[in-house]
């Protein structure tokens, strides 16, 4: 039996998972990242945690085929570095070279959202689907594009920044500096902001009661719960939010026509209450109505998505990796 | 020596070209489409023109490897039909089956903009480039995505509708029924409309003199010529237009990160006067500045682009064609 190791190098935690060839998680361990220390100390801890996790599962290293690391930021999948990541303060950080000091195995490095998309493709909502797009709605909007079972991220590995597609030029300011990016309208952050603005204008809304007017307490769940209980302000906020979300999704369909779009993030927990009206909105707006239409699914790999996808990087290589790039 | 035949089935003309294995055009012939007759008569004429063109070049049919047909509308590349095309009134029209009645050779069917993108990739501005996007600016905005030297158009062959990416939700009405599509701001039609509105507001502009206030006479060339001669209204129109154009191009880069974007259409004739400020605008707005940036080029295959790309369809098959789909 062959095993695959996936690492999620996050801002808060390092998570290591051992995965089988079907992308099934066998064991998962984590430690704090302590992100403000030098990168080589972080990578040393990753190496130790990988060895510990394999030991605890009694797996000999010779049965492990690849290690993959998923990390926020822009990777260079070819040379195994992170070109730039602001939250971890990485700049051309040589993750592969550093990790190989501790474990003599092929190491792949990818963006975390791309890993999550690969996880959904291998062992989640888009299993057995050649072409899918995963949209993760959180602080921002992360995206991953899977074409013919592989990650597609362009010639420089920096693509699939779906959140930074402008849907309203001269519109709301985005964290990236541009105006009108999709994530400035359709991220969880944007939804919460929209709910706070609406609640402020409408004192009688239950949105005010549940948070005692402390809008920093808003979550996707609170807003959806108010709507489900019949609060008109919350309902209106969600209707408007679904419009924003659908505009970006229709763009993705018109450009990429994936067979499946997988929606991840906290909001996915709202299930059909959220997905049904979204599907209806999208299907009324796609450009070509007379072909088979893109299907929508909720993410299935949950909090293990980056670890599972990272573990599978060596099997389903990035489309732009030609030949054996590890040498 | 092997030859390849490309057909452009256009609204006005049927063009047939014979191409060598490098995508070089050897001979081109055309006849009127006479689009209001039944499709089988149109395809019969295509068959005859193919045979005539080969005869005139004294090429035996046994040296021809494939035939490709490029046509506006949404193709089904797998079964060789055009699913829907409004201008030619095609609906599940079996181009391959019909054409095979006249010539016993493998027939491929594709969207014309996808063919143009393939032509640029094989024998034009994106030669030797694995991943490129071609944007054709005309009545609308046509697009073609090339990944690893093949056309990518999604699981249902309906993708790459770049013009129908919304860049301003609730914005200008588009011919597709949606509001705020890129082509409603950045097509040649949109530029001409923007120039007419500006000229009307500004009687002293030379835009009025050259057309004698008949704005139906506007062309991209007239507007650019007025700007080059120093007319401030025309200059302002172009500045605003380049902003619109750049917003969609930056979106394409953030999502697809192609190595090259090829710009085609009449406007490409403006060369560096048009391309230089566009490049500057785009490079100031892309999401990831610290990786190799997408290059810009002007289309090189000109009026033969669809014919050349169609001829090459059998060699560089659509990414979604697995195995021998012709049987």
């Amino acid at each position: 039996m062959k095993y695959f190791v996936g690492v999620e190098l996050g801002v808060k935690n390092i998570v290591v998972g051992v995965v089988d060839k079907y992308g099934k998680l066998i064991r998962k361990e984590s430690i704090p990242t302590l992100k403000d220390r030098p990168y080589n100390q972080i990578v040393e801890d990753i190496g130790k945690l990988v060895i510990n996790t394999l030991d605890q599962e009694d797996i000999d290293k010779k049965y492990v085929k690849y290690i993959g690391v998923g990390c926020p930021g822009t990777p260079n999948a070819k040379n195994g570095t992170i070109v730039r990541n602001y939250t971890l303060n990485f700049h051309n950080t040589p993750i592969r070279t550093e990790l190989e000091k501790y474990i003599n195995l092929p190491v792949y490095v990818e963006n975390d959202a791309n890993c999550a998309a690969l996880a959904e493709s291998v062992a989640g909502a888009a299993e057995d689907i050649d072409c899918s797009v995963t949209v993760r709605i959180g602080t921002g909007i992360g995206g991953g594009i899977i074409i013919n079972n592989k990650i597609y991220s362009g010639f420089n590995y920096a693509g699939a920044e779906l959140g930074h597609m402008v849907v309203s030029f001269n519109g709301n300011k985005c964290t990236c500096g541009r105006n009108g990016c999709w994530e400035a309208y359709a991220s969880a952050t944007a939804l919460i902001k929209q709910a706070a603005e609406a609640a402020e204008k409408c004192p009688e809304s239950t949105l005010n009661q549940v948070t005692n007017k402390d809008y920093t307490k808003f979550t996707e769940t609170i807003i959806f719960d108010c709507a489900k209980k019949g609060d008109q302000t919350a309902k209106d906020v969600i209707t408007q939010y679904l419009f924003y979300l659908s505009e970006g999704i229709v763009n993705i369909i018109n450009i990429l026509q994936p067979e499946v779009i997988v929606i991840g993030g906290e909001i996915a927990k709202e299930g059909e209450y959220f997905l049904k009206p979204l599907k209806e909105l999208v299907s009324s707006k796609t450009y070509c109505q007379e072909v088979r239409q893109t299907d929508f699914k909720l993410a299935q790999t949950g909090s293990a998505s980056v670890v599972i996808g990272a573990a599978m990087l060596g099997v389903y290589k990035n489309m732009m990796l030609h030949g054996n790039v590890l040498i």
Side-chain angles (χ1 to χ4, degrees), chain A:
Chain A
M1 175 131 179
K2 282 286 177 191
Y3 297 95
F4 304 85
V5 172
V7 180
E8 178 174 10
L9 171 45
V11 178
K12 287 183 188 160
N13 292 304
I14 294 163
V15 188
V16 165
V18 181
V19 164
D20 71 10
K21 65 177 176 179
Y22 305 107
K24 190 171 166 284
L25 187 69
I26 293 166
R27 187 182 193 102
K28 197 173 80 165
E29 298 292 338
S30 77
I31 50 171
T33 306
L34 309 174
K35 75 179 183 67
D36 296 323
R37 54 188 174 146
Y39 77 85
N40 52 344
Q41 290 179 17
I42 296 176
V43 178
E44 188 180 349
D45 273 3
I46 292 176
K48 285 178 184 165
L49 187 61
V50 169
I51 290 162
N52 275 346
T53 311
L54 290 170
D55 284 350
Q56 283 171 42
E57 199 61 32
D58 211 16
I59 293 171
D60 191 313
K61 217 190 62 183
K62 71 180 177 191
Y63 296 111
V64 179
K65 220 163 166 194
Y66 307 110
I67 297 185
V69 180
C71 178
T74 307
N76 181 325
K78 199 161 184 171
N79 66 17
T81 62
I82 293 294
V83 178
R84 174 55 100 180
N85 172 10
Y86 291 98
T87 50
L88 287 162
N89 200 23
F90 284 177
H91 190 203
N92 291 324
T93 304
I95 304 290
R96 175 188 296 157
T97 318
E98 202 63 26
L99 191 52
E100 282 174 344
K101 289 181 185 169
Y102 306 99
I103 314 156
N104 183 26
L105 279 170
V107 177
Y108 290 85
V109 178
E110 253 304 342
N111 169 272
D112 53 358
N114 288 348
C115 290
L118 185 59
E120 292 298 330
S121 169
V122 174
E127 210 183 323
D128 301 323
I129 299 293
D130 290 345
C131 293
S132 61
V133 169
T134 293
V135 175
R136 298 214 303 170
I137 299 162
T139 312
I141 294 184
I145 300 169
I146 304 294
I147 297 179
N148 290 349
N149 306 300
K150 294 176 178 184
I151 292 168
Y152 175 78
S153 55
F155 86 111
N156 55 12
Y157 313 105
E161 288 293 348
L162 304 178
H164 300 287
M165 154 178 65
V166 159
V167 291
S168 178
F169 56 69
N170 298 330
N172 291 355
K173 192 81 184 168
C174 180
T175 51
C176 77
R178 248 176 126 195
N179 287 91
C181 286
W182 190 32
E183 77 170 40
Y185 291 89
S187 62
T189 314
L191 169 63
I192 287 166
K193 193 167 166 244
Q194 289 151 21
E197 285 169 3
E200 201 156 32
K201 277 187 206 151
C202 193
E204 71 276 17
S205 165
T206 53
L207 285 167
N208 291 301
Q209 295 153 29
V210 290
T211 56
N212 207 14
K213 291 202 176 182
D214 177 2
Y215 301 137
T216 61
K217 288 184 183 158
F218 270 143
T219 62
E220 299 95 305
T221 313
I222 289 176
I223 300 162
F224 272 85
D225 280 352
C226 286
K228 284 174 191 167
K229 284 175 188 153
D231 184 83
Q232 194 55 46
T233 309
K235 279 184 176 177
D236 292 345
V237 166
I238 288 169
T239 301
Q240 181 64 54
Y241 172 77
L242 289 177
F243 168 78
Y244 294 141
L245 192 59
S246 69
E247 287 290 290
I249 287 176
V250 175
N251 282 359
I252 293 168
I253 292 174
N254 286 351
I255 296 171
L256 292 170
Q257 292 285 357
E259 188 166 352
V260 168
I261 288 184
V262 180
I263 313 260
E266 277 296 299
I267 206 169
K269 292 183 181 158
E270 302 304 324
E272 280 301 312
Y273 183 87
F274 149 79
L275 208 57
K276 192 169 171 282
L278 180 66
K279 274 183 191 172
E280 284 168 8
L281 258 176
V282 168
S283 74
S284 69
K285 295 193 285 192
T286 51
Y287 180 67
C288 190
Q289 301 272 333
E290 285 163 309
V291 290
R292 251 184 76 206
Q293 299 291 296
T294 299
D295 199 6
F296 285 81
K297 300 204 172 168
L298 300 170
Q300 287 176 5
T301 54
S303 64
S305 64
V306 177
V307 162
I308 293 172
M312 293 286 102
L313 286 172
V315 186
Y316 304 90
K317 295 183 183 70
N318 186 303
M319 281 204 80
M320 304 316 293
L321 295 185
H322 301 298
N324 188 349
V325 296
L326 291 168
I327 292 167

